[in-house]
Amino acid sequence: MIRFEDVTKVYDTTSRPALDGVTTEIERGEFVFLVGPSGSGKSTFIRLVQREEKASSGTVYVSGRDVARLSSWRVPHLRRDLGVVFQDFRLLPNKNVFANVAFAMQVLGKRRGLINQAIPEVLKTVGLQDKARRFPHELSGGEQQRVAIARAVVNSPAILLADEPTGNLDPETSWGIMEVLDKIHQNGTTVVMATHDHEIVNTMRRRVVELHEGEVMRDEAEAGYQPADATAQLQSRLRKTEVN
Amino acid sequence: MRFAFIVSETLSGIRRNLSMVISVVLVTFISLTFVGSAGLLQMQINQMKGYWYDRVEVAIFLCNDTSTAASCAGGAVTDSQREAIEAQLDSQQASAYVESYEYESQEQALELFQDQYSNLDMAESVTADQLPESFRVSLVNPEQYEVVNEMFSGMPGVEVVSDQRELLESLFSLMNIASVIAIALAVIMLITAILLIATTIRLSAFSRRRETGIMRLVGASKTMIQLPFLAEGVVAAMLGAALASLATWAIAKFFIADWLATEYPQTGFISSTEALWLVPLLFAIALILAAVSSMLTLRRYLKV
């Protein structure tokens, strides 16, 4: 489904590469956590899959296609195969929940009948069937993220890319989001989720690809995740201050 | 669905960006009105050339009592001199160039003079013997004025041979200068319009960057993303062209056809229907305008 072959991405020649010789493969129907501290290359990984960026060297295949060699007018076709969710939701503030999700279908020229049929279904999947007429500012963060997920999957993409979808949410709400993502995964969608929330990773026990300074440090099935030393140190230091 | 969606996106873009859109409409309106006026001037020049070149004559002015020219040293033209000139006009030699001629007496000259300058006070005080009598000669080919000039200007009793075409030429060159100035102003305004449309599209793209971001994300086509912005520029430019067409037609109708033509009935003026030929031109320019500025902008600010 997604295959990276010795992929290196350099944004700025003076600093170290964002990704450095990454080779990995994600199969159809997998649920993969992409973990690592900030700056480890998780977002770059996702941007390369979306073809927001092109690899400096190496090849990225998505659904069997070399994304770097897609002509610019074929790129939209690639993106229709991908649903993407971000930490900051990216909803349209002047549209209600229904219209936000409908927008993703309208811009692809879907028929009104299909839209009216698909949206209640997808809102039910994310648990927002009663809030279709609400506006984003009337929703909690977790609800807003559910809308974003509904928008990402309403066109039934084969792959869902989630870039720290729980980054802005409290643990309780994060679990709600994970349940939704799990449900979508069980419906057959390949899910790639970038995160540094070790609690979620440790509980879910899925495949974990750990990036460190742009390199794959670890790739294990049903694995956990211990935050890097720096984070651990900071946490223990914080704990000490709390005690004091 | 797709079409309706693009239309509604375009309209919402125009609504959000109304003041910019209005300024684009006004700038294209003014610039295209300059283009239209230059077009009217050129049409008028062509019309007058056709009209006047058929009518212009070479005037052979004869000496009168007040003539000061060297050839009139002998005083006013005598009957025999006048006959000699007439005989020369009738001669074999001249008939190759002269199509027809008419004699205009001092009284007729006065009548015409008072008619043409009725609005001047001095017209009343002019008397017939102050004006020269003349032969009005139409040429087979108006370009051959020089030949006729040589033939008659040396003859006794002839004060001067004048080519009326020269007067017209200076009028035409004046009108040409006016249309060049109009075109120059139009070009400056058109450049302004292009930049303004580009800025408008850029602002519009910026104010809708959330929407376009999501459109890219879900894989909307290039057309779907860019067309509403392009349409916004085109609609504004077209409105400007429509106003300019109206203005051009109004100039042709109320200024030229209604006012000038009644003030100067002898002159051939273009009609307001002829001015309608300029309308497709104005719309074409507006379209090119919008296309050029969109090309400048969309590639840079609305990447897919």
Side-chain angles (χ1 to χ4, degrees), chain A residues 50 52 76 79-80 86 90-94 103-104 106-110 112 151, chain B residues 1-2 4-5 9 16 210-212 214-222 224 304:
Chain A
Q50 281 180 279
E52 284 280 348
R79 296 197 180 138
R80 282 171 215 176
F86 300 95
R90 303 198 186 170
L91 301 178
L92 300 174
N94 55 341
F103 188 76
Q106 286 168 335
V107 299
L108 298 187
K110 298 280 165 70
R112 197 184 305 266
R151 183 179 64 195
Chain B
M1 185 67 229
R2 200 173 291 230
F5 181 75
E9 281 293 296
R16 279 200 207 183
R210 274 204 194 92
E211 279 85 347
T212 50
I214 291 162
M215 285 166 111
R216 294 181 52 206
L217 205 64
V218 301
S221 63
K222 203 170 175 171
M224 200 63 152
V304 175

Side-chain angles (χ1 to χ4, degrees), chain B residues 112-126:
Chain B
L112 269 174
F113 181 85
Q114 287 180 334
D115 202 40
Q116 274 177 355
Y117 298 100
S118 55
N119 50 343
L120 296 179
D121 292 339
M122 64 167 265
E124 296 302 318
S125 57
V126 172

Side-chain angles (χ1 to χ4, degrees), chain A residues 43-236:
Chain A
S43 295
T44 300
F45 186 98
I46 285 178
R47 292 173 68 79
L48 283 166
V49 174
Q50 281 180 279
R51 223 264 214 168
E52 284 280 348
E53 304 286 351
K54 279 189 188 177
S56 310
S57 70
T59 322
V60 177
Y61 295 95
V62 176
S63 308
R65 290 173 293 198
D66 176 353
V67 297
R69 291 176 64 178
L70 286 178
S71 61
S72 67
W73 59 275
R74 295 287 301 178
V75 171
H77 292 268
L78 165 75
R79 296 197 180 138
R80 282 171 215 176
D81 261 358
L82 307 171
V84 195
V85 179
F86 300 95
Q87 186 174 354
D88 56 354
F89 321 138
R90 303 198 186 170
L91 301 178
L92 300 174
N94 55 341
K95 290 188 192 292
N96 65 26
V97 170
F98 186 96
N100 259 288
V101 181
F103 188 76
M105 298 186 81
Q106 286 168 335
V107 299
L108 298 187
K110 298 280 165 70
R111 306 207 163 276
R112 197 184 305 266
L114 185 64
I115 293 175
N116 288 336
Q117 183 194 340
I119 291 176
E121 271 174 40
V122 77
L123 288 183
K124 201 169 165 225
T125 309
V126 300
L128 286 177
Q129 58 272 39
D130 302 327
K131 302 201 167 163
R133 302 288 150 205
R134 299 284 189 85
F135 282 86
H137 65 91
E138 299 169 334
L139 298 175
S140 70
E143 287 168 333
Q144 290 188 45
Q145 190 60 294
R146 285 162 192 259
V147 180
I149 294 170
R151 183 179 64 195
V153 300
V154 72
N155 292 315
S156 321
I159 303 168
L160 179 64
L161 302 171
D163 193 356
E164 308 212 16
T166 59
N168 271 346
L169 306 173
D170 59 69
E172 196 75 20
T173 317
S174 297
W175 280 113
I177 296 299
M178 289 319 296
E179 275 166 26
V180 171
L181 291 180
D182 194 44
K183 206 192 287 183
I184 288 162
H185 172 237
Q186 275 164 23
N187 289 344
T189 309
T190 309
V191 179
V192 180
M193 174 171 161
T195 186
H196 49 224
D197 187 331
H198 54 96
E199 226 174 75
I200 286 174
V201 179
N202 289 336
T203 314
M204 298 281 288
R205 308 307 293 183
R206 298 298 167 105
R207 178 177 166 195
V208 171
V209 175
E210 184 169 350
L211 293 171
H212 185 73
E213 300 199 335
E215 291 177 58
V216 177
M217 209 170 78
R218 188 163 64 100
D219 185 349
E220 287 172 49
E222 295 179 23
Y225 169 50
Q226 294 306 317
D229 290 346
T231 323
Q233 278 169 10
L234 179 65
Q235 278 178 340
S236 63

